[in-house]
Amino acid sequence: MNRIDSLRKKVDELNEQLLDLLNERAKIALEIGKEKQRIGKPIYDPIREEEILTRLIELNPGPLPNSSLIMIFREIFKACRMLQEQQTDSQLLIKKTKEKEQTTITVKGVTIGGDTPTHIFGPCAIESRTQLEQVAEALVKTGCRLLRGGAYKPRTSPHRFQGLGLEGLQLMKEITEAFGLVSVVEVMDERTLQEALPYIDIIQIGARNMYNYPLLKAIGQIDKPVILKRGLSATIEELKLAAEYILQAGNPNVILCERGIRTYETATRNTLDISAIPVLKNETHLPVIVDISHAAGRKDILLPLARASMAAGADGIMAEVHPNPQFALSDANQQLSLEEFYAFMEGLKE
Ligand code: PEP
Ligand code: MN
C-alpha cells in the first residue's frame, strides 16, 4: 500500500466515524425536537446555536480555521433542524392518517363530514325577527337543518351596518330552537366569542380572522364546533395550520371552509379555488365545506359552483338566503331570494 492509499484508508475510517457521529447527533436532535414539541417550545433556537459555535471556536485546536468550522456546524444545525421540523409536520393533528381518515361532527342530531351533504343557508346578517323566521321556514320546508346569520358583521366600511349584536344572537337562538335548526354565527374576537357562546351551536371564524392566532387558540378551548374560513389571500397550507392551532388548543371539531380567494379576476367577487377541496380532503381528516356566495359575489352561478364543489369532494355548501335581497343591509347582490333558494335546492337534486 503506498502512502496515499494508507492515508486515504484513514480518511475513510474517519468519514465513517463522522457519519456515525452525525447520525447519533441527529437522533438526539430528534429527541430534543419531541420534547420541545411537548412543552410548546420552538424548534429554532439561534441563541443556543451561537453558544455552541462560541464554545467550539474556543476549543478548536486547528488546523481547520474557525470560519470553516462555523460553516460546517451551521450546515449540521440546519440539517438537524429540518429533520426536527419534518418530525413535527408529520405529527400534525389535522393530518389524514390510516387511523384518522375522517372527522364527523354531530350537532343536535345533524352530522357534518358524514355521508349526507351539509347544507348551511341563511342571511348574510340577522336583520329582524321576520326576516330570520322567513328564512328558517324555507329551510324547514326543504329539509335543511343549519341556519347561518351574522350578528357581528365584518364590514369593509365602518359606516355600513355592523350587525345587531346581542339582539341578533337572541333572535337566532329563539328561532333555531322554535324551528329545530342548528345555528351558525360568526364571532370576531374573544369578547364576541364569550357573548355569543350561550346563543349559538356552531361558531364561524370569518376569512378576516383566519390569521388571528390568539382567537384561534381561544376557540380551541371551546366545546362547540367551528367553521374556519380560508383567509382572503391565504394559502391552503396557511388554512391547514390555522386549523392546527384550534386542534392543538383542544378543540377537535373544526370544519374547513373554502370561500374563494383574491385574484386578478373581477367577474366574481373572489375566485373559488376548487383545487383546495381535494387537497384539503386528501391531506386532512376535517370536513370541508364551500361558501359559494362569498366566492361568487353573485347568484346566477351558484348552482354550477355548488355542483362543482360537491363533485370535487366537498362535504357541503353554504350560501346566503334573504327574503328580500334587494333590501338586504349587507351583500344584497349575492343573496338568494326564497324563490331562488327553492329553485336552487331543486337544481341540487338533479
Ligand atoms: C360571512 O360568511 O358572513 C362572511 C363575512 O364571510 P367571509 O368571512 O368568508 O368573508
Ligand atoms: Mn355576506
Side-chain angles (χ1 to χ4, degrees):
M1 211 190 289
N2 65 30
R3 177 137 173 85
I4 290 189
D5 284 344
S6 74
L7 287 173
R8 279 186 169 164
K9 196 164 174 287
K10 271 201 188 132
V11 166
D12 286 344
E13 278 167 20
L14 285 168
N15 281 343
E16 281 169 31
Q17 283 175 29
L18 277 174
L19 182 67
D20 285 346
L21 285 171
L22 285 172
N23 278 307
E24 186 77 19
R25 191 190 187 287
K27 277 186 206 155
I28 296 175
L30 282 174
E31 288 294 310
I32 294 175
K34 258 191 213 155
E35 199 52 24
K36 279 186 171 172
Q37 198 184 357
R38 195 182 63 77
I39 59 173
K41 241 181 131 183
I43 303 265
Y44 183 40
D45 184 349
I47 295 172
R48 162 87 180 138
E49 289 189 3
E50 288 315 304
E51 280 168 3
I52 301 176
L53 287 177
T54 309
R55 185 171 147 71
L56 290 173
I57 290 166
E58 272 167 22
L59 293 173
N60 186 17
L64 213 54
N66 287 340
S67 56
S68 303
L69 194 79
I70 292 173
M71 198 175 69
I72 294 166
F73 271 88
R74 283 213 193 281
E75 285 305 311
I76 296 177
F77 296 157
K78 198 165 124 197
C80 287
R81 202 160 62 230
M82 277 164 62
L83 203 60
Q84 288 174 322
E85 281 166 0
Q86 274 167 14
Q87 173 176 259
T88 325
D89 288 354
S90 70
Q91 288 167 355
L92 285 181
L93 300 168
I94 53 163
K95 204 175 146 87
K96 185 178 198 143
T97 60
K98 276 206 182 70
E99 297 75 45
K100 185 94 189 136
E101 281 200 33
Q102 176 67 45
T103 288
T104 55
I105 301 164
T106 302
V107 203
K108 289 189 175 166
V110 183
T111 299
I112 302 160
D115 295 334
T116 317
T118 300
H119 290 152
I120 307 174
F121 298 105
C124 179
I126 304 162
E127 295 172 5
S128 69
R129 176 182 297 278
T130 325
Q131 174 232 26
L132 200 59
E133 268 175 358
Q134 284 179 318
V135 180
E137 213 175 276
L139 260 62
V140 171
K141 273 192 198 154
T142 49
C144 297
R145 295 282 314 279
L146 291 104
L147 177 64
R148 62 149 285 150
Y152 317 100
K153 293 308 299 178
R155 304 304 301 282
T156 303
S157 166
H159 301 295
R160 297 282 182 272
F161 178 59
Q162 301 284 305
L164 293 182
L166 186 58
E167 187 193 338
L169 297 170
Q170 287 162 342
L171 285 174
M172 186 52 117
K173 187 171 164 72
E174 257 183 62
I175 291 168
T176 44
E177 280 175 1
F179 286 82
L181 299 171
V182 175
S183 62
V184 177
V185 177
E186 175 174 356
V187 303
M188 308 270 276
D189 50 27
E190 291 190 50
R191 184 194 71 78
T192 51
L193 169 66
Q194 293 311 329
E195 184 171 71
L197 272 182
Y199 299 94
I200 66 175
D201 300 311
I202 299 178
I203 306 160
Q204 178 170 310
I205 297 293
R208 288 152 197 80
N209 262 319
M210 190 209 82
Y211 291 113
N212 186 342
Y213 300 121
L215 181 60
L216 301 182
K217 285 183 186 176
I219 295 282
Q221 287 166 22
I222 305 297
D223 188 20
K224 284 194 173 164
V226 189
I227 293 177
L228 175 64
K229 290 189 144 197
R230 180 175 182 180
L232 308 174
S233 306
T235 63
I236 296 175
E237 186 67 11
E238 286 166 344
L239 172 61
K240 283 165 59 185
L241 290 173
E244 181 76 10
Y245 265 92
I246 305 175
L247 265 70
Q248 204 215 3
N251 186 344
N253 296 321
V254 176
I255 300 144
L256 300 172
C257 181
E258 160 62 33
R259 44 80 72 205
I261 49 173
R262 282 216 162 148
T263 68
Y264 50 79
E265 183 52 68
T266 54
T268 50
R269 181 174 175 179
N270 291 289
T271 298
L272 177 58
D273 181 8
I274 287 286
S275 316
I277 304 163
V279 171
L280 293 169
K281 290 298 295 177
N282 288 347
E283 296 179 5
T284 82
H285 52 76
L286 301 172
V288 176
I289 62 164
V290 180
D291 174 349
I292 47 179
S293 290
H294 288 93
R298 49 195 276 180
K299 44 190 174 176
D300 56 328
I301 56 168
L302 291 189
L303 196 52
L305 293 189
R307 287 181 178 143
S309 301
M310 296 313 291
D315 293 294
I317 46 170
M318 176 190 276
E320 290 184 336
V321 181
H322 191 291
N324 301 296
Q326 67 277 32
F327 299 120
L329 298 179
S330 57
D331 285 350
N333 294 334
Q334 71 190 36
Q335 304 203 57
L336 294 170
S337 68
L338 299 181
E339 293 67 35
E340 287 163 339
F341 168 63
Y342 293 131
F344 173 85
M345 290 308 288
E346 278 306 308
L348 262 194
K349 286 186 205 154
E350 285 164 17

